[in-house]
Amino acid sequence: MCGYETVPSDDEEALLKAVSQQPVSVVIDGSGDAFKYYSGGVFDGECGTEMSHAVTIVGYGTSEEGTKYWLLKNSWGETWGENGYMRIKRDVDAPQGMCGLARLSFYPIA
């Protein structure tokens, strides 16, 4: 039987542990213009509270400048962001993460 596992809410450390094992689906606020028109770099722009968009976190890393980030894949195609991906700031000073990405996240289980 297949199902899914939910990552504890508002816990970027738990999300990091889950992403180290497999891609994780998250709900995020993608309603702001800064998000919609993202074209590159580590995103740390304005976010609202409209948790209305789903993306998949596929990895994480650290930029050359030392900024920790999540690597997420969006469904808006390769013309958005960095060929359909976004690097979004990780370890922000908010338990829910940048744009609320640590609020609701889950991954499939067998």
Side-chain angles (χ1 to χ4, degrees):
M1 177 176 231
C2 297
Y4 66 91
E5 184 73 32
T6 302
V7 178
S9 183
D10 297 342
D11 187 345
E12 275 197 286
E13 283 300 314
L15 184 57
L16 182 67
K17 183 177 178 182
V19 171
S20 74
Q21 302 295 313
Q22 70 279 305
V24 176
S25 296
V26 300
V27 177
I28 193 168
D29 174 29
S31 65
D33 285 344
F35 187 94
K36 289 178 185 175
Y37 300 110
Y38 166 78
S39 62
V42 177
F43 180 82
D44 67 351
E46 291 290 320
C47 298
T49 58
E50 187 178 321
M51 306 305 289
S52 60
H53 188 58
V55 296
T56 303
I57 297 180
V58 297
Y60 53 88
T62 305
S63 72
E64 291 179 8
E65 296 80 23
T67 304
K68 294 179 181 179
Y69 65 85
W70 297 106
L71 179 63
L72 61 84
K73 182 170 182 9
N74 201 343
S75 60
W76 293 344
E78 293 181 4
T79 59
W80 179 84
E82 298 176 337
N83 296 313
Y85 291 83
M86 172 188 256
R87 290 178 292 150
I88 187 169
K89 193 170 182 180
R90 180 168 56 97
D91 289 345
V92 297
D93 191 23
Q96 69 273 10
M98 180 65 79
C99 299
L101 64 78
R103 280 247 157 109
L104 177 60
S105 51
F106 50 93
Y107 55 91
I109 57 173

